[in-house]
Amino acid sequence: MTELFATVNGIKICYEIKGEGYPVILVHGFGAKKTDWIGQFIPLSEKLKVIRFDNRGAGKSDRPFNPPYTMELFADDIKGLMDYLEIKKAHIIGWSLGGMIVQNFVLKYPEYANKVILINTN
């Protein structure tokens, strides 16, 4: 799998895309990285265009030292990645911290989300 990088909100976000069809974005939890979606990434890509990425401060994405990392900032990173990839609307799945990020994303950018799945989140 080829890792790609997008400059979003002044940092580099590492992401991967697999499959064709309607876009679905996977948002991981705290202490995780994009590759932790291994069990979902390939099966979902059989029917969908799946995008998984490392949140800022995780995996191979930049780790700027300018706290705090806010939910709004994480949500803006998703929107920035969608804009970079020219995706106007997607299904979005988040687990744990990722689910919290997705909730904030949907409140701020409802027009960018089609269906939302929240897994083990608060």
Side-chain angles (χ1 to χ4, degrees):
M1 184 64 46
T2 303
E3 293 180 318
L4 304 167
F5 291 87
T7 300
V8 172
N9 299 324
I11 66 164
K12 287 185 182 173
I13 297 283
C14 183
Y15 69 96
E16 295 174 336
I17 298 178
K18 185 167 181 61
E20 298 292 327
Y22 196 84
V24 61
I25 299 172
L26 306 176
V27 186
H28 65 76
F30 182 77
K33 54 191 173 194
K34 68 183 174 304
T35 54
D36 291 335
W37 286 104
I38 187 85
Q40 298 77 26
F41 190 60
I42 292 173
L44 287 173
S45 71
E46 293 173 6
K47 297 194 181 213
L48 299 162
K49 178 180 186 175
V50 184
I51 299 102
R52 65 181 179 180
F53 69 98
D54 289 323
N55 290 324
R56 68 172 53 227
K60 294 183 180 175
S61 289
D62 283 348
R63 293 172 168 81
F65 187 73
N66 58 347
Y69 286 10
T70 65
M71 289 296 119
E72 183 174 8
L73 187 57
F74 283 122
D76 290 344
D77 288 345
I78 295 172
K79 166 128 177 351
L81 182 60
M82 289 178 75
D83 289 346
Y84 179 86
L85 297 173
E86 298 180 349
I87 295 172
K88 300 296 180 199
K89 193 168 231 178
H91 301 317
I92 307 176
I93 304 172
W95 107 74
S96 189
L97 172 68
M100 293 170 60
I101 294 168
V102 170
Q103 289 175 64
N104 282 271
F105 174 82
V106 172
L107 290 171
K108 188 168 183 180
Y109 303 107
E111 68 278 11
Y112 278 76
N114 186 343
K115 292 182 172 67
V116 171
I117 298 173
L118 304 174
I119 305 165
N120 195 31
T121 191
N122 294 328

